[in-house]
Amino acid sequence: MAPSSSSSASPVTAIRSAVDRELAAFCADHRAQVLAIGEELAPAMDALEAMIAGGKRLRPTFLYWGWRGAGGAAEDDRVARAAAALEFLQACALIHDDVIDNSDTRRGLPATHKRLAALHSDHGWSGDADEFGRGAAVLIGDLCLSWSDEMFQASGFPLPTLREARPPFDAMRTEVMAGQYLDTLEQVRGTASREAALRVMRYKSAKYTVERPLHVGAALAGRLDGLGAVYTAYGIPLGIAFQLRDDVLGVFGDPGTTGKPAGDDLREGKRTLIVAETLARAEAADGERFRSLLGAPDLSAESVAWMCSLIERSGALDACEKMIEGYAGEAVTALESPELDEAARRPLRELVVAATARTH
Amino acid sequence: MAPSSSSSASPVTAIRSAVDRELAAFCADHRAQVLAIGEELAPAMDALEAMIAGGKRLRPTFLYWGWRGAGGAAEDDRVARAAAALEFLQACALIHDDVIDNSDTRRGLPATHKRLAALHSDHGWSGDADEFGRGAAVLIGDLCLSWSDEMFQASGFPLPTLREARPPFDAMRTEVMAGQYLDTLEQVRGTASREAALRVMRYKSAKYTVERPLHVGAALAGRLDGLGAVYTAYGIPLGIAFQLRDDVLGVFGDPGTTGKPAGDDLREGKRTLIVAETLARAEAADGERFRSLLGAPDLSAESVAWMCSLIERSGALDACEKMIEGYAGEAVTALESPELDEAARRPLRELVVAATARTH
């Protein structure tokens, strides 16, 4: 008997090993280039490669299925390289994000700046270890950002094809940095409105993680004109749903799965949509107390439990779950477009399920 | 009578207004793109544009004369755009450098992170103003780094020409970041050897500021093969001489001209070649004292004066002046190559003089 369709490779595994292989080859080549400048750069390269080795390869996956949905071939080293290039952009975003948010950990391991600060302490160097760690992490992120477009340009596609793919590639970078700036701004301004939270999600998550990678994939297959709108109609709601799921997990998630302590987003004071929904729905006194606890670095387990219970009691959690469902439905509907190549329809639908399921 | 040759336009002014014009056009276009994401990004764009508006346009100048020396036309909007793209890379380097070194000022004005910290304070936002300023500056630098290659790819040269120019363009970015990392490392390790100082100068200054821009210019004119070695023979010694002059001015320079307080490099503890020369030449007790004062944030005017006198007494200043002269001579000699187009010979010689003169 033929294997059932549900047992076939997942949409992510379809590209994962090729992306991993291309990243490893690029890193090996560039490690040699960097160590020829100075062998003391080895720990910086180790930290960079540790970031590159991890992660779910979400953006490469969307680039790949954007390419397949536009009729691109199933196996093509060029698309694997172009997809892998997005991981360098993501590595920069995460390394710099952790510096900006002063986060200690990433994926359950020390953040890059913490890793470099530890190097400083271990050697007993002069000056402030944290300052050294931050500075080194800024530079390692800069290297990743440079290597992202270097790898993209060297992917091997014909030059006119690469030129077609530059507008979404360039827009993606500007959008994620602008979105990240707005996110930082909302946090210090304490805005916590639904509109503000949705705007950050749109740029920092939906466009950056889903829509633009799909657009780049379509452009590489020469079909951005025909598929741009379809991928926007799919990518924006999916990206928002995906971020909403992440926000819910950031409050209620199992630390063993998320790699972050329970209630971490509340301790960090993130102005997520679930927070905005809670504040919009809670009684005045509860809202006041919630607001005063949000972002307190020494937030106790009791306070986290009370905040979680308010998120549930106020109806904010249910509202978010309904939104996730609604956005996921929108994304699935967009896949009905006749423009989309049949090969990508089921994998893109599976990505909606995987990205918005209650545990992932 | 025809004007004497010495009264003609300087090598820098030959390209400056075209570069300024292209930068202004690019910034206007991208300001609109960014403010469409959120009007609150205006102060970030203001800070970015303030960085872009300043500076000596050294890297664009070398790119331009690298192009002219390879037979490129005197006026060409494409080369002005490619040259201008290097200013975005430089803006990123300076903005991030100021975050890494925790510098308060740049060119006599508040550093980008200080400017954004002041925005935070002025609005009475929550959280730490300095932390916000640093985070915002990291993101503004990232935008500059992205826009550098975006502008370069969009300069209008034929795509195969741009591809020829990518290896030196890419190498330049990796080298400046690696050089900057080594610089940070030397500072905390307190190495202060001549070899370490020369290596940092080679990557962070000579290759980044002079050699690679020349290589990119030659590649854009299709003559990297013929001129690469000539530009290396000219660019590396000139870049080192230029950085040495900068280091001398960082200790002995007039604050009114350098835009930095007198003795600023000593206060910052920079491991420059002039410091290495001093330590290599001074008596043990003087060296000990010099070393202990180097990098002290509260360094008094008296201590600065004593350190300056040791630099002179030890013979380190004379040694550096001799090195500047020697390197400048090497650079001028390299210009004798018959590969070089006559149009660039005199301007490239003038750039040696301008970059290494005792005041500039």
Side-chain angles (χ1 to χ4, degrees), chain A residues 87-114:
Chain A
E87 287 295 278
F88 276 111
L89 173 58
Q90 171 68 355
C92 169
L94 295 181
I95 292 169
H96 284 179
D97 204 23
D98 287 341
V99 170
I100 294 166
D101 293 345
N102 207 7
S103 307
D104 290 347
T105 59
R106 168 66 61 182
R107 300 177 190 141
L109 295 169
T112 303
H113 64 105
K114 283 288 168 190

mmCIF file of all heavy atoms in Angstrom, chain A residues 87-114:
data_model
loop_
_atom_site.group_PDB
_atom_site.id
_atom_site.type_symbol
_atom_site.label_atom_id
_atom_site.label_comp_id
_atom_site.label_asym_id
_atom_site.label_seq_id
_atom_site.Cartn_x
_atom_site.Cartn_y
_atom_site.Cartn_z
ATOM 1 N N GLU A 87 17.810 33.296 6.960
ATOM 2 C CA GLU A 87 18.190 32.917 8.318
ATOM 3 C C GLU A 87 19.266 33.838 8.879
ATOM 4 O O GLU A 87 19.349 34.033 10.090
ATOM 5 C CB GLU A 87 18.650 31.452 8.364
ATOM 6 C CG GLU A 87 17.513 30.463 8.218
ATOM 7 C CD GLU A 87 16.531 30.505 9.384
ATOM 8 O OE1 GLU A 87 16.803 29.898 10.420
ATOM 9 O OE2 GLU A 87 15.472 31.164 9.223
ATOM 10 N N PHE A 88 20.106 34.390 8.017
ATOM 11 C CA PHE A 88 21.102 35.360 8.498
ATOM 12 C C PHE A 88 20.422 36.665 8.923
ATOM 13 O O PHE A 88 20.815 37.286 9.909
ATOM 14 C CB PHE A 88 22.162 35.627 7.419
ATOM 15 C CG PHE A 88 23.265 34.617 7.410
ATOM 16 C CD1 PHE A 88 23.399 33.718 6.365
ATOM 17 C CD2 PHE A 88 24.171 34.549 8.460
ATOM 18 C CE1 PHE A 88 24.419 32.775 6.364
ATOM 19 C CE2 PHE A 88 25.192 33.610 8.468
ATOM 20 C CZ PHE A 88 25.319 32.716 7.415
ATOM 21 N N LEU A 89 19.416 37.066 8.163
ATOM 22 C CA LEU A 89 18.651 38.261 8.571
ATOM 23 C C LEU A 89 17.995 38.015 9.924
ATOM 24 O O LEU A 89 18.040 38.851 10.830
ATOM 25 C CB LEU A 89 17.608 38.580 7.487
ATOM 26 C CG LEU A 89 16.608 39.680 7.800
ATOM 27 C CD1 LEU A 89 17.302 40.998 8.113
ATOM 28 C CD2 LEU A 89 15.652 39.868 6.617
ATOM 29 N N GLN A 90 17.398 36.820 10.060
ATOM 30 C CA GLN A 90 16.730 36.478 11.309
ATOM 31 C C GLN A 90 17.735 36.398 12.466
ATOM 32 O O GLN A 90 17.447 36.843 13.578
ATOM 33 C CB GLN A 90 15.972 35.147 11.126
ATOM 34 C CG GLN A 90 15.403 34.534 12.391
ATOM 35 C CD GLN A 90 14.267 35.345 12.990
ATOM 36 O OE1 GLN A 90 13.935 36.430 12.519
ATOM 37 N NE2 GLN A 90 13.676 34.838 14.057
ATOM 38 N N ALA A 91 18.914 35.857 12.202
ATOM 39 C CA ALA A 91 19.935 35.788 13.253
ATOM 40 C C ALA A 91 20.304 37.194 13.724
ATOM 41 O O ALA A 91 20.413 37.447 14.922
ATOM 42 C CB ALA A 91 21.171 35.047 12.743
ATOM 43 N N CYS A 92 20.461 38.122 12.779
ATOM 44 C CA CYS A 92 20.731 39.516 13.159
ATOM 45 C C CYS A 92 19.591 40.063 14.010
ATOM 46 O O CYS A 92 19.819 40.664 15.060
ATOM 47 C CB CYS A 92 20.925 40.396 11.911
ATOM 48 S SG CYS A 92 20.934 42.173 12.308
ATOM 49 N N ALA A 93 18.362 39.841 13.556
ATOM 50 C CA ALA A 93 17.195 40.381 14.280
ATOM 51 C C ALA A 93 17.166 39.850 15.715
ATOM 52 O O ALA A 93 16.941 40.618 16.665
ATOM 53 C CB ALA A 93 15.908 40.024 13.538
ATOM 54 N N LEU A 94 17.432 38.562 15.889
ATOM 55 C CA LEU A 94 17.364 37.968 17.230
ATOM 56 C C LEU A 94 18.524 38.438 18.112
ATOM 57 O O LEU A 94 18.330 38.761 19.280
ATOM 58 C CB LEU A 94 17.379 36.437 17.135
ATOM 59 C CG LEU A 94 16.175 35.786 16.443
ATOM 60 C CD1 LEU A 94 16.317 34.271 16.453
ATOM 61 C CD2 LEU A 94 14.861 36.196 17.097
ATOM 62 N N ILE A 95 19.731 38.448 17.536
ATOM 63 C CA ILE A 95 20.902 38.860 18.331
ATOM 64 C C ILE A 95 20.723 40.308 18.802
ATOM 65 O O ILE A 95 20.942 40.630 19.973
ATOM 66 C CB ILE A 95 22.195 38.693 17.501
ATOM 67 C CG1 ILE A 95 22.478 37.200 17.253
ATOM 68 C CG2 ILE A 95 23.383 39.353 18.199
ATOM 69 C CD1 ILE A 95 23.580 36.933 16.227
ATOM 70 N N HIS A 96 20.318 41.192 17.882
ATOM 71 C CA HIS A 96 20.127 42.598 18.246
ATOM 72 C C HIS A 96 18.908 42.770 19.159
ATOM 73 O O HIS A 96 18.936 43.574 20.092
ATOM 74 C CB HIS A 96 20.007 43.454 16.977
ATOM 75 C CG HIS A 96 21.328 43.684 16.297
ATOM 76 N ND1 HIS A 96 21.480 44.408 15.141
ATOM 77 C CD2 HIS A 96 22.593 43.292 16.648
ATOM 78 C CE1 HIS A 96 22.758 44.447 14.795
ATOM 79 N NE2 HIS A 96 23.449 43.763 15.688
ATOM 80 N N ASP A 97 17.848 42.015 18.899
ATOM 81 C CA ASP A 97 16.658 42.051 19.748
ATOM 82 C C ASP A 97 17.022 41.723 21.199
ATOM 83 O O ASP A 97 16.545 42.383 22.135
ATOM 84 C CB ASP A 97 15.675 41.004 19.206
ATOM 85 C CG ASP A 97 14.240 41.311 19.581
ATOM 86 O OD1 ASP A 97 13.956 42.489 19.862
ATOM 87 O OD2 ASP A 97 13.415 40.393 19.579
ATOM 88 N N ASP A 98 17.844 40.720 21.393
ATOM 89 C CA ASP A 98 18.225 40.326 22.757
ATOM 90 C C ASP A 98 19.075 41.399 23.428
ATOM 91 O O ASP A 98 18.995 41.584 24.637
ATOM 92 C CB ASP A 98 18.970 38.981 22.730
ATOM 93 C CG ASP A 98 18.023 37.816 22.444
ATOM 94 O OD1 ASP A 98 16.806 37.990 22.634
ATOM 95 O OD2 ASP A 98 18.501 36.738 22.023
ATOM 96 N N VAL A 99 19.886 42.109 22.624
ATOM 97 C CA VAL A 99 20.634 43.241 23.187
ATOM 98 C C VAL A 99 19.647 44.333 23.596
ATOM 99 O O VAL A 99 19.715 44.872 24.705
ATOM 100 C CB VAL A 99 21.647 43.800 22.157
ATOM 101 C CG1 VAL A 99 22.247 45.125 22.638
ATOM 102 C CG2 VAL A 99 22.763 42.788 21.895
ATOM 103 N N ILE A 100 18.722 44.646 22.698
ATOM 104 C CA ILE A 100 17.775 45.734 22.928
ATOM 105 C C ILE A 100 16.897 45.447 24.145
ATOM 106 O O ILE A 100 16.675 46.317 24.986
ATOM 107 C CB ILE A 100 16.907 45.954 21.665
ATOM 108 C CG1 ILE A 100 17.786 46.454 20.511
ATOM 109 C CG2 ILE A 100 15.759 46.909 21.945
ATOM 110 C CD1 ILE A 100 17.122 46.393 19.144
ATOM 111 N N ASP A 101 16.398 44.213 24.237
ATOM 112 C CA ASP A 101 15.508 43.846 25.349
ATOM 113 C C ASP A 101 16.272 43.401 26.578
ATOM 114 O O ASP A 101 15.649 43.082 27.603
ATOM 115 C CB ASP A 101 14.577 42.704 24.929
ATOM 116 C CG ASP A 101 13.595 43.120 23.857
ATOM 117 O OD1 ASP A 101 13.438 44.333 23.643
ATOM 118 O OD2 ASP A 101 12.993 42.225 23.228
ATOM 119 N N ASN A 102 17.601 43.337 26.457
ATOM 120 C CA ASN A 102 18.419 42.881 27.574
ATOM 121 C C ASN A 102 17.984 41.489 28.031
ATOM 122 O O ASN A 102 17.882 41.223 29.229
ATOM 123 C CB ASN A 102 18.320 43.895 28.716
ATOM 124 C CG ASN A 102 19.547 43.877 29.600
ATOM 125 O OD1 ASN A 102 20.523 43.196 29.297
ATOM 126 N ND2 ASN A 102 19.479 44.569 30.713
ATOM 127 N N SER A 103 17.700 40.607 27.092
ATOM 128 C CA SER A 103 17.254 39.243 27.418
ATOM 129 C C SER A 103 18.453 38.369 27.747
ATOM 130 O O SER A 103 19.494 38.464 27.107
ATOM 131 C CB SER A 103 16.522 38.622 26.230
ATOM 132 O OG SER A 103 15.492 39.457 25.790
ATOM 133 N N ASP A 104 18.282 37.510 28.740
ATOM 134 C CA ASP A 104 19.381 36.642 29.153
ATOM 135 C C ASP A 104 19.481 35.396 28.285
ATOM 136 O O ASP A 104 20.567 34.842 28.127
ATOM 137 C CB ASP A 104 19.196 36.206 30.613
ATOM 138 C CG ASP A 104 19.406 37.362 31.571
ATOM 139 O OD1 ASP A 104 19.931 38.402 31.123
ATOM 140 O OD2 ASP A 104 19.030 37.240 32.744
ATOM 141 N N THR A 105 18.339 34.912 27.806
ATOM 142 C CA THR A 105 18.349 33.635 27.104
ATOM 143 C C THR A 105 17.647 33.727 25.756
ATOM 144 O O THR A 105 16.839 34.625 25.504
ATOM 145 C CB THR A 105 17.633 32.539 27.932
ATOM 146 O OG1 THR A 105 16.282 32.970 28.157
ATOM 147 C CG2 THR A 105 18.331 32.298 29.253
ATOM 148 N N ARG A 106 17.983 32.776 24.915
ATOM 149 C CA ARG A 106 17.351 32.637 23.598
ATOM 150 C C ARG A 106 17.278 31.147 23.321
ATOM 151 O O ARG A 106 18.314 30.468 23.376
ATOM 152 C CB ARG A 106 18.192 33.384 22.560
ATOM 153 C CG ARG A 106 17.870 33.127 21.129
ATOM 154 C CD ARG A 106 16.509 33.626 20.702
ATOM 155 N NE ARG A 106 16.321 35.069 20.837
ATOM 156 C CZ ARG A 106 15.145 35.681 20.537
ATOM 157 N NH1 ARG A 106 14.106 34.979 20.116
ATOM 158 N NH2 ARG A 106 15.039 36.984 20.692
ATOM 159 N N ARG A 107 16.096 30.652 23.075
ATOM 160 C CA ARG A 107 15.907 29.200 22.838
ATOM 161 C C ARG A 107 16.519 28.380 23.976
ATOM 162 O O ARG A 107 17.148 27.340 23.735
ATOM 163 C CB ARG A 107 16.534 28.774 21.510
ATOM 164 C CG ARG A 107 15.966 29.462 20.284
ATOM 165 C CD ARG A 107 16.696 29.024 19.016
ATOM 166 N NE ARG A 107 16.343 29.829 17.876
ATOM 167 C CZ ARG A 107 17.205 30.221 16.942
ATOM 168 N NH1 ARG A 107 18.474 29.902 17.043
ATOM 169 N NH2 ARG A 107 16.802 30.942 15.920
ATOM 170 N N GLY A 108 16.379 28.888 25.197
ATOM 171 C CA GLY A 108 16.851 28.135 26.359
ATOM 172 C C GLY A 108 18.354 28.174 26.578
ATOM 173 O O GLY A 108 18.856 27.600 27.538
ATOM 174 N N LEU A 109 19.069 28.867 25.696
ATOM 175 C CA LEU A 109 20.526 29.006 25.848
ATOM 176 C C LEU A 109 20.864 30.470 26.128
ATOM 177 O O LEU A 109 20.035 31.349 25.912
ATOM 178 C CB LEU A 109 21.225 28.548 24.564
ATOM 179 C CG LEU A 109 21.073 27.060 24.212
ATOM 180 C CD1 LEU A 109 21.580 26.793 22.800
ATOM 181 C CD2 LEU A 109 21.828 26.201 25.231
ATOM 182 N N PRO A 110 22.103 30.748 26.600
ATOM 183 C CA PRO A 110 22.454 32.154 26.841
ATOM 184 C C PRO A 110 22.338 32.969 25.542
ATOM 185 O O PRO A 110 22.724 32.492 24.475
ATOM 186 C CB PRO A 110 23.909 32.084 27.298
ATOM 187 C CG PRO A 110 24.125 30.686 27.762
ATOM 188 C CD PRO A 110 23.195 29.833 26.968
ATOM 189 N N ALA A 111 21.798 34.178 25.643
ATOM 190 C CA ALA A 111 21.742 35.072 24.486
ATOM 191 C C ALA A 111 23.175 35.402 24.050
ATOM 192 O O ALA A 111 24.115 35.282 24.841
ATOM 193 C CB ALA A 111 20.988 36.354 24.861
ATOM 194 N N THR A 112 23.323 35.815 22.798
ATOM 195 C CA THR A 112 24.662 36.054 22.243
ATOM 196 C C THR A 112 25.472 37.032 23.102
ATOM 197 O O THR A 112 26.643 36.785 23.397
ATOM 198 C CB THR A 112 24.542 36.585 20.804
ATOM 199 O OG1 THR A 112 23.788 35.641 20.036
ATOM 200 C CG2 THR A 112 25.917 36.752 20.164
ATOM 201 N N HIS A 113 24.847 38.148 23.515
ATOM 202 C CA HIS A 113 25.604 39.126 24.305
ATOM 203 C C HIS A 113 25.997 38.554 25.667
ATOM 204 O O HIS A 113 27.054 38.908 26.205
ATOM 205 C CB HIS A 113 24.820 40.445 24.443
ATOM 206 C CG HIS A 113 23.535 40.335 25.185
ATOM 207 N ND1 HIS A 113 23.374 40.789 26.456
ATOM 208 C CD2 HIS A 113 22.342 39.822 24.819
ATOM 209 C CE1 HIS A 113 22.118 40.572 26.846
ATOM 210 N NE2 HIS A 113 21.478 39.988 25.867
ATOM 211 N N LYS A 114 25.182 37.645 26.204
ATOM 212 C CA LYS A 114 25.528 37.002 27.474
ATOM 213 C C LYS A 114 26.700 36.035 27.281
ATOM 214 O O LYS A 114 27.584 35.920 28.127
ATOM 215 C CB LYS A 114 24.311 36.231 28.004
ATOM 216 C CG LYS A 114 23.264 37.127 28.638
ATOM 217 C CD LYS A 114 23.783 37.648 29.960
ATOM 218 C CE LYS A 114 22.916 38.767 30.492
ATOM 219 N NZ LYS A 114 23.554 39.432 31.640
#
